[in-house]
Amino acid sequence: GEIVGLAGLLGSGRTELARLLFGADRADRGSLTAANGGTIHSPRDAIRRKIAFCSENRKTEGIIGDLTVRENMILALQAHRGWLAKLSKKQQEAIVDEYMDMLNIHPPNPDQLIKHLSGGNQQKVLLARWLLMQPDLLILDEPTRGIDVGAKAEIQKLVLELAKEGMAVLFISSELEEVLRVSHRIAVLRDRSLVKELVGEQIKEQNVMQVIAGER
């Protein structure tokens, strides 16, 4: 139920940390073990352990433009279930319709190619993709970059609601105001190292900026 925000300048290691947690990249040394057991070596390991990751590169590492909204949305759930336990068309329709309504995805046409949707609606489809597998940890790297103000507000509200329901969220954004708004705890990175954690009344813009600048 906690949202941990990652703050730091470009190159501080925020995205690198997110990719390591999901097994998309390998660490030079050390190991990563999930609380529910097992070492994470790859995205497949992470998905098995109910860890989800929305990359900052929506176009190249998120959507598959020539597939429909429905096909994009069910990918993670199908991978989590295993390709031998395929979802039926009826199951797909019921699940996708529910999440399209929940996330207010427009136009509400699951058979439309995802590349024809706006950036905000593409991002909602990617969020739905991971929410379908009901992750224990949701890693969001720049989830509101390049989308309109309305969609940004909807996604921020969704993140807060997910945390209230018990989901753990790692939230990364280059907009410090956004990190401050949604986070219960903020980890500040500098030169690819954790330099300070801020909680409670410490979570203020001035405090974060001072830590980023190396003043405290």
Side-chain angles (χ1 to χ4, degrees):
E2 183 182 36
I3 302 172
V4 176
L6 289 188
L9 299 176
L10 185 67
S12 61
R14 296 171 304 172
T15 292
E16 289 88 340
L17 177 57
R19 292 179 61 83
L20 285 170
L21 291 172
F22 190 62
D25 292 333
R26 294 287 185 92
D28 295 325
R29 60 183 181 273
S31 62
L32 179 67
T33 305
N36 53 10
T39 303
I40 298 171
H41 296 294
S42 67
R44 181 174 294 177
D45 292 336
I47 289 172
R48 284 176 183 155
R49 287 160 182 82
K50 303 192 80 172
I51 297 174
F53 173 48
C54 275
S55 168
E56 64 175 339
N57 298 314
R58 180 174 66 242
K59 297 289 187 183
T60 57
E61 296 182 348
I63 68 167
I64 301 175
D66 290 327
L67 294 183
T68 66
V69 169
R70 176 187 289 111
E71 289 165 336
N72 270 274
M73 202 181 285
I74 66 163
L75 281 175
L77 177 60
Q78 188 62 74
H80 181 63
R81 287 168 56 97
W83 297 104
L84 295 179
K86 289 194 174 181
L87 292 160
S88 70
K89 182 76 177 296
K90 188 174 181 180
Q91 287 175 312
Q92 290 181 29
E93 289 176 347
I95 294 170
V96 171
D97 287 348
E98 176 187 354
Y99 277 81
M100 289 193 73
D101 183 60
M102 181 195 306
L103 298 181
N104 194 29
I105 296 171
H106 289 287
N109 177 10
D111 294 313
Q112 182 171 3
L113 294 182
I114 194 171
K115 64 184 178 183
H116 296 316
L117 270 59
S118 67
N121 283 291
Q122 289 177 353
Q123 190 67 26
K124 290 179 189 177
V125 172
L126 295 179
L127 277 169
R129 172 191 291 173
W130 292 111
L131 295 180
L132 281 173
M133 67 175 237
Q134 299 181 322
D136 293 330
L137 170 62
L138 176 62
I139 304 169
L140 299 174
D141 191 359
E142 300 286 1
T144 64
R145 176 185 287 171
I147 65 177
D148 64 65
V149 175
K152 182 178 293 191
E154 286 182 294
I155 288 174
Q156 291 173 2
K157 181 181 177 183
L158 173 66
V159 170
L160 291 168
E161 289 174 351
L162 292 171
K164 283 182 181 178
E165 293 170 4
M167 190 178 295
V169 180
L170 184 67
F171 190 91
I172 303 170
S173 174
S174 54
E175 296 184 27
L176 181 55
E177 181 184 344
E178 187 173 43
V179 177
L180 292 166
R181 187 180 302 123
V182 303
S183 301
H184 300 116
R185 178 160 51 109
I186 294 179
V188 183
L189 300 181
R190 188 169 64 243
D191 299 326
R192 303 191 179 193
S193 294
L194 173 66
V195 290
K196 193 175 181 67
E197 289 189 13
L198 303 174
V199 296
E201 294 183 358
Q202 297 175 319
I203 298 179
K204 297 176 182 177
E205 183 175 1
Q206 182 180 359
N207 293 343
V208 176
M209 293 302 296
Q210 286 177 333
V211 175
I212 289 175
E215 296 178 15
R216 54 188 297 183

